[in-house]
Amino acid sequence: MRWVVAAVLAWLPLWAHAHKPSDSYLSIRLDGAALHGQWDIALRDLEHAIGLDENGDGAITWGELRRRHAEIADYALSRLEVEADDRPCKLGVAGHLVDEHSDGVYAVVRFAGECPSGDMRALTIGYRLLFELDPTHRGLLDLRHPGGTVTAVLSPERARQAFVLGETSRWGQFVAYAREGIWHIWIGFDHILFLLALLLPAVLVPRARGWDSADRFAPAFWDVLKVVTSFTVAHSITLSLAALSVIELPSRLVESLIALSVMLAALNNLRPVVRGRRWIVAFVFGLVHGFGFASVLADLGLPRETLLLALVGFNLGVEAGQIVIVTAFLPFAFRLRRGWVYRRMIFGGGSAIVALVAAVWLTERLFDLRLLPG
């Protein structure tokens, strides 16, 4: 059973990263040469970066936060550069607040600045917050100027971006959110595990006492196509409804149901209850996963017309990310389907580990616990 221990150890890092990825929310408004901004940064990220919990009791109080206001502002603004027509804008702290987002409490740094000219043609943003500590961190930018509103995602690969004022490139925003959709599905371990738990039996055939190997590739391909299509249609429906504020569900409920869906899908592989028509399972739980995808966009606070553009791009990005996963998985699984490596280690052992990990996520999310550090 050494392979089981090795597999569990390999999966342990996922336990600590099953929650919402690290984001900050950067809003900048231009009024001539004057610049006004607000930067929402998660307390958990600031604790990791500079330490806020002075007494080590696991809770950050208002007093602890207030005493570190100057250090928080210095840390944040030292990692932000704003240039107007390639000339730096001088930034200074204008105030401190606290706000709550769907994934926790955020420190809010308000800042103001003066740019060299009020008749600027382009604004360049350089963003370096937390990249040295967390390469998955993203800065979600909302830039408002007299010519319109621009949104962007700032990442280590695109940490410095230039925006032509007076021109709003909708195609550029579309591509940015499509790229972010791909990235989100690849780092959304709970979504990936749910999909894989449904895909694992695709190269097997249900029998009275369990599973047998599929004889041909075509039935396995069509089974996967039905599962992925059902999941796609379902999460696209709820992603759209939630992102457009038609339906809203509590974040903890959504995250708990996502963990439950992963656990049930994995347990069904070990003790089959739903042997056929797994596309129905994919559709039902895909509705829940759509609310999870929507949480990435919901905190942006974008204008409706921009939110719709971001929604379409993000959704297509998620689909592209899923296609990559399926394309890599299915030929590999079909080739190994008859051997004990797939039947015992990948299908049996993998399903057991997925169920165990999902059970930990479910417990954490239901009771607001942190069972493992991360």
Side-chain angles (χ1 to χ4, degrees):
M1 296 300 290
R2 285 182 295 178
W3 64 268
V4 176
V5 176
V8 171
L9 293 176
W11 283 88
L12 282 178
L14 302 185
W15 295 23
H17 294 91
H19 301 276
K20 185 174 179 291
S22 170
D23 298 321
S24 81
Y25 304 92
L26 178 62
S27 301
I28 295 177
R29 178 169 56 86
L30 295 177
D31 185 9
L35 179 151
H36 303 278
Q38 176 172 311
W39 203 349
D40 295 22
I41 307 172
L43 292 189
R44 63 179 182 274
D45 289 335
L46 290 171
E47 166 66 15
H48 184 48
I50 61 177
L52 300 178
D53 186 8
E54 297 174 353
N55 58 11
D57 65 351
I60 300 172
T61 66
W62 168 246
E64 290 173 328
L65 182 61
R66 184 176 54 191
R67 286 189 289 272
R68 306 295 292 279
H69 274 167
E71 189 174 350
I72 292 172
D74 289 343
Y75 175 78
L77 293 183
S78 67
R79 286 158 174 79
L80 177 66
E81 299 172 357
V82 181
E83 296 178 359
D85 296 333
D86 298 323
R87 298 167 63 190
C89 302
K90 296 181 180 179
L91 304 180
V93 180
H96 295 270
L97 296 171
V98 174
D99 197 6
E100 187 165 354
H101 291 254
S102 63
D103 60 325
V105 181
Y106 282 62
V108 178
V109 178
R110 286 187 168 175
F111 58 91
E114 192 75 17
C115 295
S117 171
D119 190 24
M120 67 188 81
R121 296 185 299 275
L123 193 77
T124 301
I125 306 293
Y127 183 102
R128 295 183 290 109
L129 183 74
L130 293 167
F131 288 159
E132 73 278 11
L133 300 175
D134 182 1
T136 69
H137 175 79
R138 294 293 185 268
L140 306 176
L141 174 67
D142 180 16
L143 172 61
R144 299 172 186 262
H145 58 90
T149 300
V150 177
T151 61
V153 180
L154 300 156
S155 64
E157 299 78 21
R158 296 177 56 82
R160 186 176 179 85
Q161 298 186 34
F163 306 94
V164 178
L165 304 182
E167 297 181 7
T168 302
S169 173
R170 294 187 176 274
W171 171 249
Q173 294 182 59
F174 176 86
V175 171
Y177 277 93
R179 183 188 302 113
E180 202 60 23
I182 294 173
W183 177 253
H184 182 75
I185 192 66
W186 285 352
I187 66 172
F189 296 118
D190 42 11
H191 303 300
I192 290 178
L193 291 191
F194 175 73
L195 190 59
L196 287 179
L198 292 176
L199 295 180
L200 282 171
V203 296
L204 304 175
V205 178
R207 300 299 186 197
R209 295 184 178 182
W211 304 89
D212 199 1
S213 301
D215 294 327
R216 296 183 299 122
F217 182 80
F221 171 80
W222 289 114
D223 184 56
V224 167
L225 182 63
K226 288 189 291 185
V227 168
V228 173
T229 301
S230 297
F231 184 66
T232 295
V233 171
H235 76 62
S236 296
I237 292 172
T238 47
L239 170 59
S240 302
L241 293 175
L244 296 174
S245 300
V246 177
I247 300 176
E248 296 183 6
L249 294 179
S251 176
R252 183 181 295 182
L253 173 62
V254 171
E255 295 300 318
S256 298
L257 288 175
I258 289 175
L260 178 63
S261 72
V262 177
M263 185 177 70
L264 293 179
L267 290 176
N268 187 69
N269 293 343
L270 300 175
R271 291 291 180 91
V273 175
V274 180
R275 295 178 182 270
R277 298 186 177 180
R278 289 178 301 109
W279 63 270
I280 298 178
V281 176
F283 184 86
V284 172
F285 285 119
L287 294 172
V288 177
H289 284 249
F291 287 106
F293 290 132
S295 68
V296 179
L297 298 175
D299 284 329
L300 287 173
L302 301 175
R304 181 170 290 269
E305 64 274 11
T306 306
L307 179 59
L308 183 59
L309 183 72
L311 170 63
V312 175
F314 184 85
N315 202 23
L316 290 178
V318 169
E319 306 324 314
Q322 289 181 170
I323 290 172
V324 172
I325 293 171
V326 171
T327 302
F329 165 81
L330 188 57
F332 168 81
F334 188 79
R335 183 171 183 176
L336 297 179
R337 71 194 186 285
R338 298 187 187 279
W340 69 271
V341 171
Y342 187 84
R343 300 289 295 275
R344 296 295 181 90
M345 292 182 61
I346 298 177
F347 180 74
S351 296
I353 293 172
V354 169
L356 176 60
V357 171
V360 174
W361 291 345
L362 179 60
T363 303
E364 287 185 333
R365 297 172 186 186
L366 277 176
F367 303 105
D368 195 21
L369 300 174
R370 179 55 59 89
L371 300 180
L372 291 174

